[in-house]
Amino acid sequence: MTRITYILSGLLVCLCLACNKEFLENTNKSKLTDDTQWATEGNADLFLNDIYNGLPNYWNQPENLDNFTDDNDAGFYYTSYNWKQGIVSPASSDYTVWGGITGSGDLTNWPTTFTNIRKCNTFLAAIAKYSGNFSETWRNKRIDEARFLRAFFYSELWQHVGGLPIITEPMDRRTNDSADIYKARNTFAETYDFITSELDAVVKGAHLSVKYNHGDADAGRATLGAALTVKGWVELYAASPAFNAAEPAAGPDPNKVAGFNNYDASRWAKAAASFKLFLDNYGNGKAYELFPSLASLWYEANEYNSEVVWDRQVVANIMGSSFEQYGGPVWILGAYYTWGNYDPTQELVDQFEMANGKRITDPTSGYNPQDPYKNREKRFYDWIVYDGAPYKMDWMDRTDTIYTRIDKVKPSKNQIDFGTDDVSNTGYYFKKKLNPLVRPGGGAVSGANYVYFRYVEVLLGYAEAQNEVAGPDGSVYAAMHTVRARAGLPDLPAGLSKDDMREAILHERRVELCFEQKRFYDIIRHKFANTVMNVDKHGMMITNTVPSDNSGVWKYEAIPLNHPATFHQYMYLNPIPQDVIDRNPKIVKNPGY
């Protein structure tokens, strides 16, 4: 299999293209000087590949952004447990997942982000200085890759903290005075403009491939599809109510770092235009289209399928994934396997429609609250492990049945738990994205790539932005129907209002993108985190009315999790780390901190 392979060469950790002939050169890569580092395309690739190695591998952390939302219940020892109580502090420099108070996830890691940005700047400066050593084709491609990566790193942190110092050249204390090194934060708008203009330049330059497919030598590198998708997403995020308003969601913002501080409808139009450009030039089967099987979209054998737009290369046992150890049922075939970290709440489970496409709240849907898992939509059975669910992965020699009910006659080790055990507190597990070949608990043994963006987000992003621009026109309906058809659901009813369509789109995003680290951004950008996070979440408790012998009926009851729930207004943005402000007095705080 051709893929980017991780190589340790002395103290230099670098990402090397396994099929690149320059990998076979005899130069000692651990002793590169400036003259040798930039002497050949192969040596320069080592530096750029190390930047790719800095892309976040969300497979290998037991907590993800869904833990910070109303969709998932996680352990009390994680940072999200503190965050859900409203505990977040600029003073903390603990960016780990283990009970830190820095904010929502390690995406707020200011030092790591700017280390990666500095590497991009160093690479771009060196390519300009030693340009004669490289072919024009190689130079154009690699420059645009570095510009894309820099914009991507900026976008990840910008979504969490707002305006950032825009730095586009290497900063060195030996050659720059303090006035040059210590940069103030740019405004929210200036940071947004920088990110989108960089991505726009990459798209218009057209030096990158539109898409890579399984087995391609450069699979894993940036593409035009990735650049345009990230651009559209950044535009959609910025156009949303939390930032596209006279006052940002985080509160009064005299420094203009938390939002635009005005409303401009054209921001929605920019997002719609970017997504439409993707659909017209790259989508609808040209290079990208929906992959037919949602159950197996993330499987290792299906890497770079028609739906994958931007992902991170993973190599089993070298830089592999341990995701399977963190999620899924805790007990399988009677043995303990996983940490049970990803447990859907009843709030999320209730979002899955019936097979007939009706919400469970619709009295005509056929939903029976005492038989709640019958006749649900296909995605429910593909992704959610519920009481009585059959569970079979390829590594298993037979099918298990997962019971989460409280059964006094035949106790299940997976039954809902309200203590400190790894077993689910909600009565649910999930199986979305799990590699079926990998036995949980074996370490970083999965080789399935991590997908940041997939084509369905282009469809949903276009539908949302276009609905805000023109209301639910035919193109909005068409995008939504494409997404729903793949899920086996009927079309939306005709004649929806703009508000009704907005609600339908956000509902579709919540179900389709669950456990893909998207819900957090939706509750933030649409400014309803204060509503959904300030109330307790629920799990499903199932008991028999005659527990001594189970001769009664099984009763299904949604019960509160009894977990603290506090969301302060300032939490719409994470704090700027105090140690950053201490080192650079030009850096201002976010509102409320």
Side-chain angles (χ1 to χ4, degrees):
M1 179 187 300
T2 303
R3 57 161 67 238
I4 295 178
T5 306
Y6 295 84
I7 305 295
L8 270 74
S9 180
L11 297 178
L12 179 65
V13 180
C14 46
L15 195 79
C16 303
L17 291 177
C19 60
N20 191 327
K21 66 180 181 180
E22 288 159 344
F23 170 65
L24 301 177
E25 292 178 350
N26 293 323
T27 304
N28 185 340
K29 309 302 184 187
S30 66
K31 297 181 179 179
L32 293 176
T33 64
D34 270 359
D35 287 339
T36 55
Q37 176 76 79
W38 311 109
T40 68
E41 293 173 2
N43 285 2
D45 270 341
L46 291 176
F47 193 98
L48 182 60
N49 291 341
D50 184 49
I51 301 175
Y52 277 100
N53 195 34
L55 289 168
N57 184 5
Y58 297 130
W59 284 139
N60 285 352
Q61 58 184 41
E63 171 156 87
N64 61 38
L65 276 181
D66 295 286
N67 293 18
F68 293 82
T69 76
D70 51 342
D71 280 358
N72 183 56
D73 179 70
F76 68 92
Y77 29 76
Y78 291 120
T79 294
S80 61
Y81 192 80
N82 289 331
W83 189 84
K84 286 180 176 180
Q85 298 178 70
I87 301 172
V88 57
S89 171
S92 176
S93 58
D94 178 7
Y95 297 106
T96 70
V97 302
W98 307 110
I101 52 175
T102 55
S104 47
D106 67 354
L107 299 179
T108 60
N109 193 325
W110 183 292
T112 297
T113 298
F114 276 98
T115 294
N116 289 326
I117 290 168
R118 175 173 51 80
K119 289 180 180 180
C120 292
N121 292 336
T122 298
F123 179 83
L124 290 167
I127 297 308
K129 180 178 179 179
Y130 297 94
S131 61
N133 295 340
F134 317 115
S135 69
E136 182 178 3
T137 299
W138 181 93
R139 189 169 62 247
N140 288 336
K141 287 184 64 175
R142 296 300 189 254
I143 286 173
D144 280 1
E145 287 180 48
R147 293 179 75 180
F148 167 82
L149 290 169
R150 183 174 61 185
F152 181 71
F153 289 129
Y154 262 111
S155 72
E156 292 279 273
L157 187 58
W158 166 80
Q159 291 174 97
H160 288 265
V161 302
L164 296 166
I166 302 301
I167 302 172
T168 58
E169 58 186 31
M171 307 302 293
D172 192 330
R173 293 178 184 273
R174 295 169 298 179
T175 57
N176 298 89
D177 61 33
S178 60
D180 291 329
I181 292 176
Y182 296 117
K183 301 285 187 181
R185 294 177 69 182
N186 287 76
T187 65
F188 182 93
E190 289 167 345
T191 309
Y192 160 83
D193 287 341
F194 172 73
I195 295 168
T196 55
S197 63
E198 285 290 285
L199 295 169
D200 190 53
V202 171
V203 172
K204 289 179 178 177
H207 298 302
L208 305 181
S209 296
V210 172
K211 181 182 181 354
Y212 291 119
N213 297 307
H214 192 77
D216 288 348
D218 280 348
R221 293 190 179 278
T223 63
L224 295 179
L228 190 51
T229 299
V230 176
K231 178 176 182 282
W233 165 247
V234 167
E235 291 167 337
L236 186 73
Y237 194 78
S240 301
F243 312 106
N244 190 11
E247 181 176 292
D253 180 28
N255 297 307
K256 297 184 178 181
V257 293
F260 290 108
N261 286 269
N262 63 47
Y263 175 76
D264 186 345
S266 70
R267 292 177 183 129
W268 289 109
K270 288 180 180 179
S274 291
F275 288 127
K276 187 176 189 303
L277 183 65
F278 189 110
L279 293 171
D280 290 345
N281 292 348
Y282 309 151
N284 299 315
K286 294 181 178 68
Y288 297 92
E289 60 186 348
L290 296 183
F291 187 70
S293 171
L294 277 169
S296 59
L297 189 150
W298 292 269
Y299 288 4
E300 189 172 351
N302 294 326
E303 289 174 351
Y304 300 104
N305 65 63
S306 60
E307 191 163 344
V308 175
V309 178
W310 171 229
D311 69 352
R312 187 196 196 280
Q313 286 264 344
V314 173
V315 182
N317 299 311
I318 300 174
M319 187 60 185
S321 160
S322 51
F323 185 68
E324 287 67 28
Q325 181 174 344
Y326 302 137
V330 173
W331 293 86
I332 304 170
L333 297 174
Y336 172 86
Y337 276 103
T338 82
W339 296 7
N341 287 352
Y342 308 131
D343 304 326
T345 61
Q346 192 64 46
E347 281 73 13
L348 172 60
V349 169
D350 286 348
Q351 296 300 307
F352 287 85
E353 298 176 8
M354 300 296 286
N356 58 21
K358 296 182 178 182
R359 307 277 183 91
I360 66 170
T361 53
D362 185 335
T364 68
S365 69
Y367 175 73
N368 179 358
Q370 293 307 309
D371 193 6
Y373 311 132
K374 183 179 180 181
N375 296 329
R376 301 296 288 270
E377 62 165 286
K378 185 177 184 298
R379 289 178 296 193
F380 176 79
Y381 301 109
D382 284 342
W383 298 339
I384 304 297
V385 182
Y386 54 92
D387 179 74
Y391 191 78
K392 175 66 168 71
M393 293 294 184
D394 291 352
W395 63 266
M396 300 166 58
D397 61 5
R398 64 187 187 278
T399 300
D400 196 0
T401 301
I402 306 300
Y403 288 107
T404 61
R405 64 187 62 183
I406 298 175
D407 190 337
K408 300 296 185 181
V409 179
K410 292 183 177 181
S412 168
K413 292 183 176 180
N414 281 310
Q415 76 177 26
I416 189 170
D417 172 70
F418 303 107
T420 59
D421 193 273
D422 287 337
V423 172
S424 172
N425 289 321
T426 69
Y428 300 101
Y429 299 100
F430 88 123
K431 55 184 176 180
K432 186 179 186 181
K433 304 192 297 182
L434 295 179
N435 187 337
L437 300 174
V438 174
R439 182 186 299 272
V445 294
S446 174
N449 290 352
Y450 185 87
V451 178
Y452 298 119
F453 289 96
R454 53 190 180 98
Y455 178 62
V456 74
E457 293 184 62
V458 176
L459 291 165
L460 291 171
Y462 173 76
E464 181 180 343
Q466 181 64 13
N467 183 58
E468 297 301 328
V469 172
D473 62 21
S475 66
V476 173
Y477 270 99
M480 289 292 288
H481 291 168
T482 299
V483 176
R484 290 175 62 83
R486 195 258 301 269
L489 294 173
D491 292 349
L492 293 172
L496 292 179
S497 68
K498 181 177 182 177
D499 290 344
D500 288 340
M501 180 59 82
R502 181 188 303 115
E503 192 278 332
I505 292 167
L506 291 177
H507 164 82
E508 200 66 40
R509 285 183 62 89
R510 187 175 185 182
V511 174
E512 175 72 25
L513 302 175
C514 67
F515 290 98
E516 296 184 52
Q517 308 212 87
K518 308 296 180 178
R519 174 68 175 169
F520 177 83
Y521 295 118
D522 284 353
I523 68 175
I524 292 295
R525 68 188 181 91
H526 276 282
K527 209 167 64 171
F528 52 74
N530 60 308
T531 300
V532 301
M533 298 307 296
N534 271 324
V535 294
D536 200 1
K537 317 306 178 291
H538 293 78
M540 177 62 76
M541 185 172 71
I542 308 169
T543 55
N544 198 280
T545 54
V546 184
S548 60
D549 62 3
N550 290 344
S551 61
V553 297
W554 290 101
K555 182 177 65 174
Y556 295 77
E557 181 183 6
I559 59 171
L561 296 176
N562 294 319
H563 288 173
T566 302
F567 183 91
H568 303 291
Q569 182 181 9
Y570 54 76
M571 291 168 63
Y572 275 102
L573 288 177
N574 287 336
I576 303 299
Q578 186 61 47
D579 61 350
V580 170
I581 297 174
D582 291 343
R583 290 195 304 269
N584 180 1
K586 293 182 180 179
I587 300 293
V588 297
K589 296 180 179 181
N590 274 335
Y593 289 102

